[in-house]
Amino acid sequence: MKVTVLGPWGGYPKVGEASAGYLVQSDGFNLLVDCGSGVLAQLQHYLSVEELNAVVISHYHPDHIADIGVLYHGRLIQSKIGKELPELPIYAPPHDKAEFKRLSHEPYTVAKPYKEDEELTIGPFTITFLKTKHPVTCFAMRITDEQTSMVFTADSSYMKEFEAFARDADLFICECNLYSHMDGTAMGHMNSTDAATIANSANVGTLMLTHLPHFGVLEELEDDAKKYFDGEVVLAKSGLTWER
Ligand SMILES: [Zn+2]
Ligand SMILES: [Zn+2]
């Protein structure tokens, strides 16, 4: 499994970069996890829009779905200039009917529902979901292929349930929108201590801090996390890859 960070920023992208987006690849299959602002531009450093096989969306905040419309345009334009493309499935929570419907631009993209209590198979990946604590309905995901597992918290404040959900994951991509002295409970976000505490209890391999804040000194997030977690800690960065 190879994971490439397309967008490490929370809320909105820094200049020339992107908000939430991760390319997850295995066995020649290209899965995009979240499609925030600027993700389509970043994606094209690695793949053309035609090469994408599926998309899965955690929730309907703009920093996670802003580029869905231009992804549709990309598929449409490439189809019109003669490339035969299958409909691109975009897996998403169906509870918000208007938002869910907006993902479909058939025959170029099509929204497909996932459910928290059902395992989803996409290409070589099996995906399970966990509802998070966030101002809008949002789902964390655990993605496994035959050898490797990664967990992405999406957006959430601290929840004890992440420990079981992330148990022994090789890679734990945890949102870390806040510094250790800040309490994210009301905002629906976590700080570096929250992230590392979960990583430690869940016994994950690598902790990747992401959904980064636009203020402060980012290295402090990493330094704080290392106090609570003995494994590898990395700060998400545009183009950073992880492979096992
Ligand atoms: Zn977000
Ligand atoms: Zn959000």
Side-chain angles (χ1 to χ4, degrees), residues 11 58-64 134-138 154-156 175 187-189 211:
S58 64
H59 68 301
Y60 296 110
H61 270 157
D63 55 329
H64 297 252
H134 199 54
V136 303
T137 304
C138 176
D155 287 8
S156 185
E175 81 120 280
M187 286 178 257
H189 288 296
H211 205 275

